[in-house]
Amino acid sequence: MIRKLLDSPYLAYIALVFGIICIGFSAIFVKLANVPGSVSTFYRIFIAGLAITPIWIYKGSKVPPKRDLWLIFIGAVFFAFDLFLWNTAILLTSAATATLLANNAPVWVGLISLVVFRERLAAKFWYGLLLALLGLNILIGLRAWQTMDFNYGDILSIVAGFFYALYLLFTFDSRKRVDTITFMTFSIFFMVILLFVANLLIGNPFVGYSLGTWSALVGLGLVAHFGGWISINYALGHLKGTNVSVTLLSQSVITALLAIPLLGEGLSLNQIVGGLLVLSGVYIVNRRNK
């Protein structure tokens, strides 16, 4: 009975919805913590690591083969850059805009595949790309192009999406060979070391924050990262990957809705129109052929 429940697609959909709501809180917690991006990224990963390590030990403390370890390490470098840039961007622009612009990874994956791997891309990719670029221009604002005065946070969000695309490309094979808990544990382990060293070099303090800040950082690590990604990875094991990837686009919507009451951030017309176009473009890129 329990096994039947665990294998039920309904439970997988519940896990997916729960995971999206969890990661939808990511930008909210970063805003509420209001600490440098490198610090919030470090504690996000460190706290999630404290939660997942006992599970990894309980499941047998597996160590991936050397080749997969290297791929996980390279992926961890790119993921650390992605989160560091995105957490920094959130403090410089609205939570909704930063989340939306950072969700352009599928478009970056397609462009990298075209330029680096010489893959032929379907027509739907180019349609989706043009639609996403149109939405991006509306979202950033035509006035910004006229004056060449761009929001630094918007630019960092777009670059963050590029690094997340590199993370996906470099870890794709190892994900198929390494189980989720082991993969996440070693990825977190490498990222904690990288981010600890980065904060030391930058000179950002690890302590001395208020109770409200610590509460937001704990929420970022336990809710957004640990709870969110464990749930989504569970869903990936029971649902079609394409369906999950498209559904994940709703993270931007969740963040935008949460930001209204929790952060007092309203949505302008260009954010709504541009955001819908970007989401539509990314959806077309993700959509399977009939």
Side-chain angles (χ1 to χ4, degrees):
M1 182 70 178
I2 296 177
R3 171 56 63 182
K4 201 171 183 181
L5 179 63
L6 290 174
D7 291 335
S8 168
Y10 297 108
L11 184 60
Y13 278 113
I14 292 172
L16 178 60
V17 172
F18 177 76
I20 291 171
I21 293 173
C22 286
I23 63 174
F25 272 95
S26 298
I28 306 299
F29 284 130
V30 172
K31 281 274 194 183
L32 292 175
N34 196 29
V35 295
S38 59
V39 175
S40 59
T41 305
F42 170 79
Y43 279 112
R44 169 178 177 155
I45 301 303
F46 179 73
I47 293 170
L50 294 178
I52 201 171
T53 300
I55 301 175
W56 173 69
I57 294 172
Y58 175 77
K59 289 179 68 69
S61 307
K62 296 178 183 177
V63 178
K66 188 175 181 180
R67 179 172 179 269
D68 287 320
L69 271 178
W70 274 109
L71 290 174
I72 293 172
F73 172 75
I74 295 172
V77 173
F78 291 134
F79 197 18
F81 269 109
D82 162 51
L83 290 177
F84 168 60
L85 293 173
W86 184 56
N87 283 11
T88 303
I90 291 170
L91 302 178
L92 301 173
T93 187
S94 71
T97 300
T99 304
L100 179 66
L101 294 178
N103 269 329
N104 59 49
V107 177
W108 282 118
V109 169
L111 290 173
I112 294 170
S113 299
L114 172 68
V115 175
V116 178
F117 302 112
R118 305 294 182 183
E119 290 185 15
R120 293 185 63 184
L121 301 177
K124 65 171 186 175
F125 172 81
W126 299 109
Y127 297 144
L129 176 62
L130 288 174
L131 198 59
L133 289 175
L134 175 61
L136 185 65
N137 280 279
I138 294 175
L139 191 66
I140 292 175
L142 298 177
R143 189 173 181 181
W145 286 106
Q146 292 172 348
T147 61
M148 297 304 288
D149 183 20
F150 300 104
N151 185 299
Y152 189 46
D154 293 346
I155 297 173
L156 288 180
S157 299
I158 296 171
V159 178
F162 171 75
F163 278 105
Y164 188 64
L166 290 175
Y167 163 75
L168 293 175
L169 287 169
F170 273 88
T171 59
F172 180 76
D173 284 337
S174 60
R175 281 179 168 187
K176 292 188 288 187
R177 294 186 294 267
V178 181
D179 68 273
T180 298
I181 297 297
T182 301
F183 178 89
M184 286 186 65
T185 301
F186 278 88
S187 179
I188 286 173
F189 173 76
F190 290 135
M191 289 176 68
V192 165
I193 295 174
L194 291 168
L195 291 164
F196 180 78
V197 173
N199 277 289
L200 287 179
L201 293 175
I202 295 172
N204 287 329
F206 290 96
V207 294
Y209 301 114
S210 67
L211 179 61
T213 294
W214 285 117
S215 299
L217 291 174
V218 170
L220 184 62
L222 291 183
V223 177
H225 200 86
F226 176 73
W229 287 109
I230 285 288
S231 301
I232 289 168
N233 277 299
Y234 172 82
L236 280 168
H238 296 79
L239 303 173
K240 291 181 179 179
T242 48
N243 291 353
V244 174
S245 64
V246 172
T247 309
L248 282 173
L249 299 179
S250 60
Q251 175 197 351
S252 304
V253 179
I254 298 294
T255 301
L257 293 176
L258 289 172
I260 296 172
L262 296 178
L263 302 177
E265 293 183 358
L267 293 174
S268 63
L269 181 61
N270 70 306
Q271 284 179 310
I272 295 173
V273 175
L276 289 174
L277 288 174
V278 171
L279 287 176
S280 299
V282 177
Y283 167 77
I284 291 173
V285 170
N286 275 287
R287 191 180 59 187
R288 294 184 68 181
N289 293 324
K290 292 183 180 179

